[in-house]
Amino acid sequence: SRDILTARTAAKFASSSSSYERIPLDPYSVIKFGKKTVVTSCIFYTDTNINQTSLITGTSDGFIEIWDAESRYRKLRIDLDYQRKEELMCHDAGGNDDAPLPSVLAMAINPEGTILATGDSLGTIMIWNIQTGQTLVELDKVHSGAINCLDFSQDGSKILSGSQDGTSREFGLRTKRMLKEFRGHSSFINCCRYIVPSKNSKQNLLVATASADSTVRIWCGRSAEVKFTLNPLNSTGSNAVVSLSPTNNSNDGDLGKNIHTIIPLHTPANTILIIPRGPKAFLVTLNGLILKTFENESVMTDGNDPESKAKGDFVCGTVSPSNKWLYLTTDGGIFFCFDIGSGGVEKKIPDFGSETCGGKHGMEICAMVHHPLKGIIAAYSSSTAQKKGIVTVWK
């Protein structure tokens, strides 16, 4: 299932003294890949058939692999017959045998944990049966640019995509057709999420998209009309809304700040985390009210230090399943753990970037993903300067 649990499940875990809220501070294991192959996406998923949470990786050569938790994620799951036979799930080059295989850039798991969606650098989305490795649906080149992000609808019948072509689109998995298009961003879409407001909210189904144009747009999930545009970096006071006009297609943001991540939270209800490439991340209501700011204090304290500014931007983030902890990593490789309730820094790992990249310095961490039940994070860099790509699992 998704890495964000329901509020009921999260409360159950949070009330017990378990490893659930443990902050991962030490490298646990390393997954190594072949020469000139780097990791370009990964996700945890829980297989209820074997009661195990596996890690799925996608790489720059088009392959998708599922790693066994019992081996600390170092070995492939050979209980999956297709992996035992080395018949891995893979994206192809669309019939061009001479072309390199596309990179697998995006992944999502349906709520039941049985179906995997993957998106590639050619704009194709593949839907897979995880247990058999078989292709269920192929949406061939449904975007004119690379697919950066995917999300399943709550009932698993639709897939939402975001692309470098600047659009987000919704596809029906039964009809294999586009149902809606969310158009209005002026640059790449980096993250797209369905948001189901709590029962007490007056909001209906929403879609949120984050873009390199420095804005987050909140859309009506039924009509695909934009409700408002957010840019907390360009806000006045506590209001992150910069536009309420459905027809406003202008860039209302700060062109220097790419918003790479949005994370809907169950606690506090009806809120999202907005993470730009900058020294601040924001907790914002679905109506655009900024509740909390999470700051890289080294940049804020040493504001006149050019070196501090140069390596102080948050480049990726994830949250613990109960929404207690927010984890952010800077372009300088410093890992921060924030308490979402207080906004304060709980822990910091200065050498997280180099430790994640096998001791190599200067490689930017591209993503972190959180285990759905335990204090475990997987992180990686997609830098082609690596001779061999790796994923480092922290615990």
Side-chain angles (χ1 to χ4, degrees), residues 179-387:
L179 304 178
K180 298 182 186 73
E181 181 177 72
F182 303 88
R183 178 181 290 273
H185 284 292
S186 59
S187 189
F188 299 168
I189 291 179
N190 297 313
C191 190
C192 59
R193 297 298 296 263
Y194 286 107
I195 300 177
V196 182
S198 67
K199 293 180 180 179
N200 296 329
S201 172
K202 296 180 181 179
Q203 303 267 19
N204 294 314
L205 176 68
L206 301 172
V207 165
T209 54
S211 172
D213 69 7
S214 303
T215 68
V216 169
R217 292 191 176 224
I218 306 295
W219 314 77
C220 174
R222 294 178 179 174
S223 68
E225 292 184 351
V226 64
K227 294 174 71 69
F228 44 84
T229 302
L230 305 178
N231 181 357
L233 289 162
N234 208 26
S235 63
T236 55
S238 61
N239 187 3
V241 177
V242 292
S243 174
L244 288 169
S245 170
T247 59
N248 184 1
N249 290 324
S250 65
N251 176 16
D252 293 298
D254 173 359
L255 283 171
K257 301 299 180 183
N258 178 8
I259 298 181
H260 51 78
T261 304
I262 40 177
I263 305 175
L265 300 184
H266 54 70
T267 307
N270 301 316
T271 60
I272 57 174
L273 287 165
I274 297 177
I275 311 173
R277 188 181 178 102
K280 296 180 182 181
F282 303 89
L283 177 65
V284 182
T285 69
L286 297 181
N287 293 318
L289 179 67
I290 300 173
L291 299 180
K292 211 167 259 88
T293 301
F294 308 93
E295 299 182 356
N296 179 350
E297 78 277 3
S298 60
V299 172
M300 308 315 294
T301 304
D302 304 326
N304 296 320
D305 181 0
E307 187 174 341
S308 172
K309 285 185 176 181
K311 292 295 182 182
D313 288 348
F314 296 128
V315 293
C316 59
T318 188
V319 298
S320 66
S322 73
N323 295 174
K324 179 175 179 58
W325 307 123
L326 166 63
Y327 301 108
L328 298 170
T329 299
T330 70
D331 48 358
I334 302 173
F335 171 95
F336 289 85
C337 171
F338 289 92
D339 184 318
I340 292 178
S342 70
V345 175
E346 185 73 17
K347 296 287 184 182
K348 188 162 71 169
I349 307 175
D351 56 356
F352 181 84
S354 60
E355 290 252 18
T356 296
C357 297
K360 296 182 177 70
H361 295 270
M363 294 186 184
E364 192 170 289
I365 303 302
C366 295
M368 299 186 293
V369 294
H370 204 291
H371 191 288
L373 298 172
K374 298 180 180 179
I376 295 176
I377 284 176
Y380 64 88
S381 172
S382 298
S383 171
T384 55
Q386 300 173 97
K387 291 182 180 178

